[in-house]
Amino acid sequence: MVQGSSYICSLVQSLRSASFPSKLANYSGYTSRAASNSLRHPSTYSEDEYADVDWEKLGFGLTPTDYMYVMRCSKDDNFKEGRLSRYANIEISPSAGVLNYGQGIYEGTKANRTEDGRILLFRPDQNATRMMHGAERMCMPSPSIQQFVDAVKETVFANKRWIPPPGKGSLYVRPLLVGTGPILGLAPAPEYTFLVYASPVRNYFKEGTAPLNLYIDEEFVRASPGGAGGVKTITNYAPVLKAIARAKDRGFSDVLYLDAVNRKYLEEVSSCNIFIVKGNRISTPAISGTILQGITRKSILEIARDHGYQVEERAIPVDDLGDADEVFCTGTAVGVAPVGSITHRNRRIEFKTESSLVWKELYTTLVGLQTGRIEDKKGWTVEIH
C-alpha cells in the first residue's frame, strides 16, 4: 500500500485506525486513541466555544478540522454503519479504481450557525439524492439518504467548534464516494469508501460579493451529450482547470461554457449554474444531461416563483446576453454571485450591478433561510442537536 493521490490523501486518516462509534449517543464518556493526543471529545465543547481561527481573514480554502466520517462496502453489498475518525490521510492501493479510472463522485453542503446558537444544514437530503443518482451513473453503490444525512450531521456535530460565528462564514461539508478497491482492468472497483470531511469557509470567489467578470472560451467545453456532465463526478472538474487558468491570466473570474454540439447555447460556469434576468423573467439553462442539477439552483428557482417572478428553464442562446438586465451564478460554494460582465469574441457585455437587483433579493431570502433569520416554512433546513 502507498500514499494515495493528492486529491484524497489530504482528506482523511488510515481506514484502519481507531475511531469513534458512529452514533452520537455513544459519545458520552467515550474516549479512544483517535480522540486523544490533544483533541477533546466533541461533547465537551460548549455551544459558544470556537476553534482558534481568524474569522475575519477566512476565505475559501482548506482549514483541516478535527474529525471525518468513514464508511465502506464491497460492490455487491450495501453500506453499513460508519464511524468518526481523526482527520488525517488514508492508505490506498495504487490500483484503486478512483486513482486509475476516476471512479468517484462528491457533494458539497454547508452548516451555518444562527444568531440564537442553533446549527442548521440546508437540504442535505437533496445532496443525498443527487449522490445516489451519480453513483448509479458511475456504477457505484451509494449510501441511503438516511445514511448520508446522518453522516453529515455527525461530522458537523463533531466539528462544531469550527463553524464560524453568525455572519462570518459557514462550515463547508464535503461528502465523497470513491472506488478504493484495487482493479487493473477497466471495470467497477471491488470496494468503495464513503467519506465526509469539513472546513470553515467564507467567499468562494476572491471578489467576495463584488460582481464577477466571466469569459466564454469557445475552445473548451465542460460536458457533451451522453457523457457525465449531469452528475457530480470528479472527472468533470480537472478538465476545466486549464480553461480557468487561462481566463484568470487574462483577468477574468471564471469561464462560462457553451454547449458542445452547437457552441451556441449557455450551459454553466466551471463550478456553478448561470441565470439571466430580463424584466420580471428569470431564465436558466434547462437540465439536459450536460448541466449539473444544482441544489442552490433548484432552491433559487422556487424562491423566485415565490417572489412573483416568471421562471423558465430553456435553451438560452449566447446572443440573449445582449438583452439581459442582470446575470448571476448559483452554487453551494458560491451561494448567489452577481455577474458584472461577460466577454465573448472580444465583445464585453455589461450588466446592471446597482440599484434594485433581483439577485440580491433572491440571495437575501436564501441566506435568511439557511441561517435561520427567515422562518423555514418549506422544511428545507435540518437542525443539528
Side-chain angles (χ1 to χ4, degrees):
M1 306 289 278
V2 300
Q3 289 297 319
S5 71
S6 59
Y7 175 70
I8 297 177
C9 71
S10 65
L11 313 181
V12 291
Q13 79 170 92
S14 169
L15 300 179
R16 298 192 179 97
S17 64
S19 55
F20 284 171
S22 68
K23 298 302 180 184
L24 291 175
N26 293 332
Y27 278 178
S28 180
Y30 183 87
T31 58
S32 73
R33 182 157 49 93
S36 61
N37 189 23
S38 81
L39 260 188
R40 287 160 50 192
H41 195 282
S43 62
T44 66
Y45 293 108
S46 64
E47 294 302 319
D48 58 354
E49 190 169 354
Y50 291 97
D52 185 17
V53 175
D54 187 345
W55 304 113
E56 299 300 330
K57 296 182 179 179
L58 191 64
F60 198 94
L62 179 64
T63 300
T65 54
D66 298 329
Y67 297 101
M68 67 175 198
Y69 185 95
V70 182
M71 183 164 56
R72 291 181 292 172
C73 80
S74 66
K75 69 175 182 178
D76 298 319
D77 200 359
N78 296 318
F79 279 97
K80 302 298 191 298
E81 189 172 20
R83 60 181 60 190
L84 288 167
S85 303
R86 280 285 298 271
Y87 177 94
N89 295 344
I90 64 169
E91 291 183 346
I92 189 170
S93 168
S95 58
V98 66
L99 299 182
N100 289 262
Y101 300 116
Q103 197 181 22
I105 55 179
Y106 77 90
E107 279 297 325
T109 188
K110 287 179 178 177
N112 289 285
R113 195 184 297 271
T114 68
E115 293 288 351
D116 59 3
R118 293 176 296 140
I119 298 172
L120 298 180
L121 293 172
F122 187 73
R123 310 190 77 175
D125 60 310
Q126 297 296 304
N127 295 93
T129 300
R130 188 169 65 179
M131 176 169 276
M132 293 180 72
H133 173 67
E136 191 278 331
R137 176 65 178 83
M138 302 297 287
C139 299
M140 307 167 73
S142 176
S144 68
I145 292 176
Q146 192 62 55
Q147 285 175 322
F148 181 103
V149 173
D150 286 347
V152 169
K153 291 169 70 175
E154 291 185 35
T155 305
V156 170
F157 183 86
N159 294 298
K160 63 182 180 180
R161 71 191 187 104
W162 297 91
I163 304 174
K168 302 297 183 182
S170 308
L171 185 70
Y172 183 85
V173 185
R174 171 60 61 83
L176 288 162
L177 178 61
V178 292
T180 44
I183 188 78
L184 185 59
L186 181 56
E191 184 178 272
Y192 297 86
T193 302
F194 174 66
L195 313 165
V196 186
Y197 71 98
S199 174
V201 299
R202 203 161 188 178
N203 294 316
Y204 180 79
F205 289 107
K206 66 179 179 62
E207 291 87 348
T209 57
L212 305 177
N213 298 302
L214 302 180
Y215 177 71
I216 296 177
D217 191 330
E218 294 188 327
E219 180 180 347
F220 298 102
V221 295
R222 179 189 168 274
S224 58
V231 299
K232 208 167 177 65
T233 169
I234 62 175
T235 54
N236 285 337
Y237 293 88
V240 304
L241 296 178
K242 185 172 183 178
I244 295 173
R246 189 159 74 174
K248 289 187 174 181
D249 285 344
R250 297 173 179 176
F252 298 102
S253 308
D254 208 330
V255 176
L256 172 59
Y257 299 91
L258 302 180
D259 73 290
V261 176
N262 301 293
R263 305 294 178 97
K264 173 183 177 182
Y265 298 100
L266 305 184
E267 293 242 306
E268 61 181 284
V269 184
S270 302
S271 60
C272 45
N273 296 113
I274 192 85
F275 286 75
I276 69 171
V277 180
K278 179 64 176 177
N280 194 55
R281 179 176 299 167
I282 300 175
S283 304
T284 192
I287 299 298
S288 58
T290 58
I291 297 172
L292 188 67
Q293 300 186 44
I295 291 150
T296 307
R297 172 190 182 275
K298 182 178 182 179
S299 303
I300 286 294
L301 287 171
E302 186 165 338
I303 291 170
R305 292 188 183 99
D306 292 345
H307 282 243
Y309 290 100
Q310 182 180 343
V311 174
E312 55 184 21
E313 300 175 68
R314 62 179 176 88
I316 302 178
V318 66
D319 290 344
D320 282 13
L321 292 174
D323 295 325
D325 298 327
E326 294 179 49
V327 175
F328 61 89
C329 302
T330 66
T332 298
V334 306
V336 181
V339 176
S341 72
I342 296 176
T343 299
H344 179 225
R345 295 180 178 175
N346 296 319
R347 178 193 176 197
R348 180 184 172 97
I349 308 167
E350 297 188 344
F351 309 103
K352 186 170 70 173
T353 57
E354 298 179 355
S355 68
S356 179
L357 298 170
V358 173
W359 80 265
K360 188 68 173 179
E361 177 186 353
L362 303 178
Y363 168 81
T364 300
T365 300
L366 176 70
V367 173
L369 290 167
Q370 292 173 332
T371 58
R373 293 197 299 271
I374 295 176
E375 181 184 358
D376 177 19
K377 297 180 180 179
K378 298 177 177 293
W380 284 356
T381 56
V382 176
E383 184 173 351
I384 298 177
H385 301 281

